[in-house]
Amino acid sequence: MSKAVTLQKTVSLLEDADRLVIVTHVNPDGDAIGSALALAEALRVKGKMVIVTIDDEISSFYKFMPGIDTFVRFSADEQVEADLLVVMDASSLDRIGKVVNCVRAPILNIDHHVSNTGYADYLYLDVMACATGEIVYELLRELSVTISKDMAFCLYVAIVTDCGYFKYSNTTPKCLNYAAELLSIGVQPDVVSDFLEMKSRNDVNLLSKVLETLDFHHNGRIASIMISLENYDADIATDSFIHYPRYIEGVEVAVMFKAVDAEVTRVSMRSRLLDVSRVALSYGGGGHKRAAGFTLQAELAVAKEQTLKRLTEEMDLL
Ligand code: 5GP
Ligand code: MN
């Protein structure tokens, strides 16, 4: 089990390290990328040697993020000496892929997922934080780093990604105050939302095909959509697709099934009441009470049947 640490202790662990590797989770989103880039930049300003990495392709969708070109990808046999491996926004170790085998250093995990498995040497976990970016904002203030416009931009992207532009239940007075402070540093909210909301024609074409798969179960309490292997394109950002089943009257749980290989299906869930993080955790995934995901080693139709059966059972227990 991890040693739980305070924000102050987290700051001293970061201050005491000279060479740091920062890693965030595969299939990265705006919080993963934004919080990793902001912390990396701040530690570089403090004179530290920082490598920032993800064991995955980063969708070209995120090319607008300042510093996105600084992400490196380790080869399988690479060995990196560091004083600290900082794992951001990842609730289980499998989320950082092979990076765990490439870096010899104690692990500090900075996270906000209720499903955190306690795998790190040191864990700073704030489940009330709307995003890991919110925690990084607090860390930067404690580290006495002047927050640059680029850092502020990254942190704002992180926060609005995870709280859905202050719509979700994880929106708090604190996260709104921090967002306001980031705006006063110079973040332009319209510029951020134009980047995050922008869709290519291919994105919208895929969305139209995916909406045709909309399906209702359990008397309309569950809605699902599917992305077939034929339609799967790793470079199309599909994170927003789940909003469509989620915001349909009567729907309590929305699920998106994405075939990423013949026998591999990614499952994303959004819920109003059911704690979907527990469902995800039982399948080796994780997340938050109302937004969670996992990967099944099963073909799309099988994964769909199995997941819907399980969700129906869980909802009947409520
Ligand atoms: P999404 O459905 O957008 O992929 O993920 C929703 C939330 O669940 C995010 O906070 C994400 O980090 C978490 N999550 C999604 N898939 C997994 C997974 O396979 N493992 C873990 N540990 N967390 C996941
Ligand atoms: Mn997050």
Side-chain angles (χ1 to χ4, degrees), residues 25 27 29 89-92 94-95 112-113 115 162 239 242 266-270 280-281 284-288 291-295:
H25 61 79
N27 191 19
D29 57 14
D89 198 40
S91 64
S92 54
D94 58 296
R95 298 280 279 162
H112 69 131
H113 290 94
S115 65
D162 270 24
D239 297 357
I242 200 158
R266 283 268 325 142
V267 183
S268 281
M269 299 174 291
R270 300 291 181 270
L281 201 53
H288 310 283
F294 59 93
T295 301

Side-chain angles (χ1 to χ4, degrees), residues 19-23 40 44 49-53 70 72 74 80-81:
R19 299 162 307 167
L20 302 100
V21 176
I22 296 178
V23 58
R44 286 191 190 111
M49 289 202 5
V50 182
I51 295 173
V52 62
T53 181
T70 60
V72 299
F74 295 148
V80 180
E81 293 289 337

Side-chain angles (χ1 to χ4, degrees), residues 7-19:
L7 192 75
Q8 287 306 328
K9 175 68 181 174
T10 307
V11 169
S12 53
L13 286 166
L14 294 169
E15 273 175 337
D16 290 349
D18 292 322
R19 299 162 307 167

Side-chain angles (χ1 to χ4, degrees), residues 11 14-18 20 38-50 139-146 151:
V11 169
L14 294 169
E15 273 175 337
D16 290 349
D18 292 322
L20 302 100
L39 183 62
E41 188 50 26
L43 292 171
R44 286 191 190 111
V45 167
K46 291 204 69 112
K48 304 196 178 282
M49 289 202 5
V50 182
L139 286 171
L140 299 203
R141 288 191 315 192
E142 293 296 320
L143 280 162
S144 306
V145 174
T146 304
M151 291 176 212

